[in-house]
Amino acid sequence: MIRLKDLIFETTTYETAISRIDTLPAGKLFDDAKNIEGVFKKSKYDWNEVIVTYERHEDEHHIKFVNISDIHITQPNIQANKVKEIISNINKLPRINVVQFSDGEMAIYDGHHRLTAAWALGQQQIKVNLVKLPKYDASGIDTPNDPTM
């Protein structure tokens, strides 16, 4: 049974989320494009590098909840209408795909619209398919074994 209180909360959340999308600055490429660079940090890795890395290690992914604020984007624009459609179906959509590079940066390659919808709804975390690359330890590489060097 749905309670009136639950409906009011859902409507308020939905309306607030739509408002958050509408207030984003205009983007490029699409008629309804919105720029999300002011919301999320831009990745130092380009989209191609992220997708190639994810696909190489896809079999090693783990399903994790991660903080939305820790995910770096690889594209600056989203389509507002697509995000608005996602907002009402957020729990029925597949997880986003994220790579955590050896320096700790988490970059998204698939799911910018879903990530933006989760942000607009005020979620703090999102469930992702996470490919985590091991940290590279170079601590002994330049240290000579011969003390006379």
Side-chain angles (χ1 to χ4, degrees):
M1 181 163 110
I2 297 175
R3 298 179 318 201
L4 181 59
K5 181 176 138 183
D6 294 333
L7 286 174
I8 292 170
F9 175 75
E10 287 179 21
T11 302
T12 303
T13 302
Y14 176 79
E15 290 171 357
T16 302
I18 296 301
S19 177
R20 290 183 89 183
I21 298 303
D22 288 339
T23 59
L24 290 171
K28 299 177 182 173
L29 301 178
F30 320 106
D31 291 340
D32 68 334
K34 294 290 186 174
N35 186 290
I36 57 173
E37 289 178 304
V39 176
F40 305 102
K41 294 174 234 158
K42 185 132 172 55
S43 177
K44 63 183 157 199
Y45 302 98
D46 66 39
W47 183 83
N48 191 54
E49 186 174 3
V50 176
I51 190 171
V52 167
T53 303
Y54 186 88
E55 288 180 349
R56 276 191 192 144
H57 300 278
E58 187 172 8
D59 292 341
E60 304 162 28
H61 84 272
H62 301 282
I63 300 169
K64 299 277 185 185
F65 277 97
V66 300
N67 291 331
I68 287 174
S69 61
D70 292 338
I71 299 173
H72 293 65
I73 58 171
T74 55
Q75 68 184 43
N77 299 299
I78 51 90
Q79 291 176 274
N81 288 331
K82 187 172 181 180
V83 174
K84 290 174 183 179
E85 195 174 303
I86 289 170
I87 286 170
S88 52
N89 296 305
I90 194 78
N91 294 322
K92 299 175 188 172
L93 298 168
R95 293 177 295 276
I96 64 173
N97 298 324
V98 174
V99 174
Q100 184 171 18
F101 288 91
S102 58
D103 62 4
E105 180 180 309
M106 285 190 278
I108 183 174
Y109 104 81
D110 182 36
H112 287 80
H113 291 87
R114 287 170 277 162
L115 177 66
T116 304
W119 164 81
L121 286 164
Q123 294 180 4
Q124 300 298 310
Q125 293 190 321
I126 191 167
K127 199 173 193 180
V128 303
N129 295 319
L130 179 68
V131 166
K132 189 172 182 178
L133 300 180
K135 291 187 177 181
Y136 180 71
D137 181 10
S139 59
I141 290 180
D142 293 330
T143 308
N145 290 333
D146 184 354
T148 60
M149 294 181 103

